[in-house]
Amino acid sequence: MSTAQAIVPPQIEAQSPPAINLGDTRDRLLAHRLYSAINTPEKLRLFMEFHVYAVWDFQSLLKAVQQRLTCTSVPWLPTPDPEARRLINEIVLDEESDALPDGGYASHFEMYLDAMRAAGADTGPVERLLQRLAGGDSLPQALTTAGIPTAAADFVRQSFEVIATESTPAIVAAFTFGREDVIPGMFRQFVAQLADQDTLTWGAFRFYLERHIAHDDEHHGPMCRRIMQRLCGNDEETWAAASHAARNAIESRLALWDAIADACDHAAC
């Protein structure tokens, strides 16, 4: 058998392969009370000050997927699935260096920070987190000392626990179903909140949200689901492990949403 033949992944049979099992987690997330709780500009800023950490750790989860599906070391070696390699690299291109409306490029995290600044949200804690990490602090140290909300720190820890498993099905499932699959449904509800808001203040945030809705609905979501199909094939145990990771990722998001909704309930605004 040639080397080229040896690295081709097994074909997925067409008849009724297993599927991801999310239980009711996805429905609970998309029907969460948070969306109606954010009913003032002040509460929207509060949301951003929690949510920015999910935007930041998304990038690490993305890079973990890329590391599992492509070769990111030297010397380069071909990885088993060229299609998955192509799909994840396309997603990385968008997420790390998307086109800005006025020219130039930025990661979606950098777009979010700019949107926070335009809206008057506090970026100090997340910037301290980055400074501490750049200065050599471990992630646990930085999460403890940067002054970020407890619920946001817990969300980040759960994401990095998934990464630490080094399980490709778990990491890809958390990324696919805990992020790319649910983002359009969540973000549409925030766009609705911005309909009557000042464009100068909220235009950058609306662009960020609408950019994700378009990318994830039309491109990233289908790409990730295709990767999951290729990765899990007809192996019921692999699908079960992936389903467990996906449900845990959404439960972690639900806990974050609960904390933000509670903060909105008690906010003096």
Side-chain angles (χ1 to χ4, degrees):
M1 181 180 291
S2 71
T3 303
Q5 290 173 322
I7 64 171
V8 174
Q11 293 298 308
I12 299 170
E13 297 177 12
Q15 65 269 22
S16 302
I20 206 78
N21 176 10
L22 300 178
D24 68 346
T25 56
R26 190 179 191 278
D27 292 339
R28 286 162 50 211
L29 181 62
L30 297 183
H32 200 280
R33 67 185 183 91
L34 174 66
Y35 309 110
S36 59
I38 299 175
N39 51 21
T40 67
E42 291 78 13
K43 291 179 180 179
L44 195 51
R45 293 184 187 96
L46 180 63
F47 167 79
M48 297 176 83
E49 290 165 6
F50 276 80
H51 180 243
V52 64
Y53 302 97
V55 179
W56 173 72
D57 80 351
F58 173 96
Q59 299 290 344
S60 291
L61 196 56
L62 170 64
K63 299 306 287 186
V65 175
Q66 187 184 34
Q67 288 173 353
R68 307 303 296 180
L69 299 178
T70 75
C71 181
T72 57
S73 60
V74 177
W76 180 88
L77 294 170
T79 47
D81 191 339
E83 181 175 336
R85 190 190 312 152
R86 169 68 184 227
L87 293 173
I88 195 60
N89 281 337
E90 287 188 33
I91 295 172
V92 170
L93 177 65
D94 286 339
E95 296 290 350
E96 278 197 319
S97 51
D98 201 3
L100 297 171
D102 298 324
Y105 304 93
S107 70
H108 287 176
F109 172 72
E110 291 163 314
M111 287 185 189
Y112 201 93
L113 281 185
D114 286 343
M116 289 181 71
R117 295 180 186 113
D122 183 10
T123 62
V126 69
E127 290 175 332
R128 283 196 297 275
L129 175 67
L130 300 182
Q131 289 165 0
R132 281 163 170 69
L133 291 171
D137 283 4
S138 68
L139 180 63
Q141 288 174 321
L143 289 173
T144 301
T145 61
I148 75 177
T150 299
D154 289 343
F155 183 88
V156 172
R157 289 188 188 98
Q158 194 276 341
S159 298
F160 277 84
E161 285 171 6
V162 175
I163 293 170
T165 68
E166 299 187 357
S167 165
T168 302
I171 295 169
V172 176
F175 182 76
T176 299
F177 298 101
R179 304 297 179 111
E180 299 286 35
D181 180 67
V182 294
I183 282 174
M186 295 188 306
F187 282 6
R188 284 191 183 94
Q189 303 190 62
F190 293 117
V191 168
Q193 298 285 351
L194 293 171
D196 299 323
Q197 300 297 330
D198 171 51
T199 301
L200 184 62
T201 302
W202 296 103
F205 188 41
R206 182 161 187 161
F207 173 80
Y208 168 88
L209 295 172
E210 291 179 338
R211 192 71 170 165
H212 270 75
I213 291 167
H215 273 319
D216 296 346
D217 239 1
E218 300 169 13
H219 303 293
H220 296 179
M223 287 176 177
C224 286
R225 289 189 290 274
R226 176 61 181 162
I227 291 171
M228 286 300 307
Q229 287 286 347
R230 295 180 67 81
L231 182 64
C232 297
N234 288 318
D235 189 320
E236 292 186 2
E237 290 187 5
T238 305
W239 278 109
S243 295
H244 179 73
R247 289 193 301 271
N248 282 349
I250 299 177
E251 290 288 0
S252 180
R253 174 83 64 166
L254 283 163
L256 178 62
W257 263 209
D258 286 345
I260 302 173
D262 288 345
C264 286
D265 290 344
H266 294 95
C269 48

